[in-house]
Amino acid sequence: MSLDPAVWPVTAACSPAGVLGLGGVGVDELAASFGTPALVLDEADFRDRCRQWRTAFADSEVYYAGKAFLCLALARWLVEEDLSLDVCSGGELLVAERAGFPAARLLFHGNNKSPAELRRAVELGVGRIVVDSAVEIDRLARTAAAAGIRQRVLIRVTPGVEAHTHEYVATGQEDQKFGFSLASGAAAEAARQVLALPSLELVGLHAHIGSQIFDTSGYRLAIRRLVALLADIRAEHGNERGVFAELNLGGGLGIAYTDADAPMPAMELADALAAAVGKECAAVGYPPPRLAVEPGRAIVGSSTVTLYEVGTVKELPGLRTYVSVDGGMSDNIRTALYGAHYTAVLASRASNADVQLVTVCGKHCESGDIVVREVALPADLAPGDLLAVPGSGAYHYSMASTYNHVPRPPVVAVAGGRAREIVRRETEDDLLRLDVVP
Ligand SMILES: *Cc1c(COP(=O)(O)O)cnc(C)c1O
C-alpha cells in the first residue's frame, strides 16, 4: 500500500504486515480499543499545519475556522499553537468559552446572529464581530451600548468573487445570503451606518470567497475590489475616521482528498496575498492593512482518517461491486451533499489480490449514502476488513448526524504511540437522551 503524503496525515505509515499506523498506533489496535467507525486525528499533523500557517502569516492574524471541526481539546491546542479562533454560532462560542480561549482572540461571524448570541459575545469580550446586515448593526450597537463597551467590528463584504472548487463563477455571486454587496453600494452604506454609532468601532473589512480553492486568482481579484472600497471609504470620511487597519480575507484554501488534487502551501498563499495587498494599496496610496485569514479545512482536513469495518460485499454482475461499511452519511455527508471525491485503502492487512473498482457505501437508508464513489481496492476484500478514508478532518464530525439512530463515532487523537478520545462515541443512552415520553 503506498500512501500519498499530500493526502495522508504526516505520521501515516504502513507496517510490513500491511497494517496502517497513525501517530504510531496500528489501526487494528485502534479498532479494538475504540470500535468502528472512528475518526482518528493525527495530533502532530494538526499541530504541524497550525505552525505552517503561523509561520507563513507571521505578520497577520490566523483564525482557525471552528466550523470545520471544534471540540474542547482542539481549542486548547489552538491556544498552545498561538492561533486565534473564528466562531459562527453561540454553540461554537460556548466551546471557546469552556476551553478558556482568550476572548480577545475570538472572531464571531454569521448572517443571523441572535440578540442572545450577540449579547453573550459582547459580555464575553469577543475581539471582533463581523457585522452582516443593517438590522444586526443596530442590534449590536444597542447591545454594546447597554454593556457600556465599544465593540470592534468588521464589515462582511461580498466582493463579487465566488470560488466553486476549481473555478470562479462570474454570475450569481451577488445573489447570496452573506454580507453587504460591494457593487450595489451596500457595503459603503454599512460603513456609514457603523461610523455613525459611537458604541461600535470599525476596524476593517471581511470577505470569504469560497472553499476548496487551489489558486490565488480569486483572492487577488477580491483584494483589488476590497482595497478600492477602503480607498472610497477614506475619500468619503477622511483620514481620521475612514482609515481601517484590518483586512480579513476569510478561509477557503483547498486540500488533497485524492492524488488528483494539488493543494497550495500556506506560504505560497501568504506571499501572494501580501504581494497583492501591497500592490493594490500602493496604487491608491492606502496604508497596507494588517491581514487576517481563517483557514479551517487547510488546517484540520488532512489530519484525520475515518476507520470503517467492512460489513458486506455485494457484486452486481456487469454493474458494480458495493462494499458496505458501518458508517456513512451520518459521519460523512460531503459525498451526498457535494459529490465530493475520496479515496480509501484496505488498512488492516496486506493483500496480493488484483484490485477492482468498487463503490464504498454506508449503512443508511438512502441510496445516495455513498462514502467513496469509485476506488480501486483488492478483490479479496471481505467482511471484517478495515477500510481507512483520509481527508476526514473538516466538515465530517462537525456535520455529523444521528440519521437512522446511528450513534456518532468518536474522535480519537493519536500521537507518539498513544491514543485517546477527544470526543467519545455516542452511546445508546445518548441517542435517547432528548426523548420525552409524556
Ligand atoms: C467556512 C468559512 C471559513 C473556513 O473555510 P475553509 O474552507 O474551511 O477554510 C472561514 N471563514 C468564513 C467566514 C467561513 O464561512
Side-chain angles (χ1 to χ4, degrees):
M1 175 189 7
S2 77
L3 301 170
D4 182 341
V7 174
W8 291 86
V10 64
T11 69
C14 191
S15 80
V19 177
L20 175 68
L22 295 162
V25 189
V27 295
D28 46 355
E29 203 182 317
L30 289 167
S33 303
F34 302 101
T36 55
L39 286 103
V40 183
L41 191 160
D42 181 347
E43 187 179 337
D45 191 274
F46 179 84
R47 289 183 185 269
D48 275 3
R49 285 176 212 274
C50 288
R51 287 169 204 172
Q52 284 165 23
W53 281 81
R54 195 56 277 168
T55 307
F57 286 90
D59 303 323
S60 310
E61 200 61 41
V62 180
Y63 292 92
Y64 170 76
K67 71 177 199 233
F69 171 59
L70 189 61
C71 66
L72 292 172
L74 186 136
R76 298 215 171 100
W77 297 346
L78 292 172
V79 175
E80 288 164 13
E81 298 301 337
D82 199 27
L83 260 60
S84 297
L85 173 62
D86 111 39
V87 297
C88 62
S89 70
E92 289 178 4
L93 196 54
L94 170 71
V95 179
E97 187 180 355
R98 293 281 171 89
F101 206 93
R105 300 192 64 172
L106 294 173
L107 174 144
F108 189 15
H109 66 86
N111 68 300
N112 184 19
K113 308 173 203 74
S114 71
E117 286 174 322
L118 289 174
R119 211 175 312 120
R120 184 169 194 169
V122 164
E123 283 164 8
L124 206 62
V126 165
R128 305 279 183 279
I129 295 180
V130 182
V131 292
D132 201 285
S133 65
V135 172
E136 185 184 69
I137 291 173
D138 271 335
R139 201 178 267 166
L140 179 60
R142 275 183 275 115
T143 306
I149 66 140
R150 193 149 184 252
Q151 177 63 49
R152 294 185 157 178
V153 302
L154 297 148
I155 291 171
R156 170 74 180 255
V157 178
T158 311
V161 183
E162 193 186 348
H164 274 302
T165 308
H166 292 90
E167 91 254 33
Y168 298 91
V169 289
T171 56
Q173 65 270 33
E174 295 288 328
D175 183 3
Q176 61 155 304
K177 70 171 186 168
F178 290 110
F180 295 93
S181 148
L182 195 156
S184 73
E189 181 55 32
R192 275 173 221 127
Q193 190 187 352
V194 172
L195 285 168
L197 292 162
S199 62
L200 300 183
E201 179 188 351
L202 186 54
V203 296
L205 303 180
H206 177 287
H208 172 73
I209 61 170
S211 227
Q212 189 60 353
I213 298 170
F214 289 93
D215 66 59
T216 60
S217 56
Y219 291 108
R220 286 187 278 118
L221 183 54
I223 286 167
R224 183 179 321 150
R225 293 179 179 172
L226 291 165
V227 171
L229 174 61
L230 285 172
D232 286 351
I233 295 172
R234 178 185 58 181
E236 181 178 337
H237 300 276
N239 273 335
E240 202 184 316
R241 301 225 61 205
V243 176
F244 317 118
E246 290 181 28
L247 187 57
N248 185 320
L249 295 166
L253 197 64
I255 62 162
Y257 286 99
T258 73
D259 58 15
D261 299 321
M264 193 192 318
M267 190 62 90
E268 198 177 316
L269 180 69
D271 288 345
L273 297 187
V277 171
K279 175 176 153 238
E280 301 299 340
C281 284
V284 295
Y286 196 91
R290 183 173 154 85
L291 288 185
V293 285
E294 301 171 336
R297 187 192 318 269
I299 289 184
V300 77
S302 297
S303 70
T304 302
V305 171
T306 307
L307 281 187
Y308 298 106
E309 185 177 304
V310 175
T312 69
V313 179
K314 190 183 284 179
E315 219 179 303
L316 307 184
L319 288 171
R320 72 174 66 234
T321 297
Y322 282 94
V323 174
S324 298
V325 295
D326 50 358
M329 63 191 291
S330 55
D331 61 78
N332 178 7
I333 192 69
R334 292 189 67 258
T335 307
L337 199 56
Y338 314 124
H341 292 287
Y342 286 90
T343 188
V345 298
L346 168 59
S348 48
R349 63 180 172 90
S351 168
N352 291 321
D354 289 342
V355 294
Q356 61 169 352
L357 280 182
V358 301
T359 294
V360 179
C361 61
K363 64 177 286 161
H364 296 280
C365 298
E366 189 89 37
S367 47
D369 173 29
I370 303 292
V371 179
V372 188
R373 200 159 291 284
E374 203 144 77
V375 60
L377 288 171
D380 65 351
L381 203 67
D385 282 337
L386 296 178
L387 289 186
V389 176
S392 305
Y395 310 106
H396 280 231
Y397 195 84
S398 66
M399 288 183 161
S401 73
T402 56
Y403 181 46
N404 294 142
H405 277 64
V406 171
R408 284 174 295 179
V411 182
V412 179
V414 288
R418 274 185 57 216
R420 58 209 162 106
E421 282 174 322
I422 55 173
V423 181
R424 67 164 170 79
R425 180 182 303 282
E426 210 158 34
T427 62
E428 289 185 347
D429 283 342
D430 290 334
L431 279 180
L432 298 177
R433 191 177 51 197
L434 306 180
D435 279 38
V436 179
V437 182

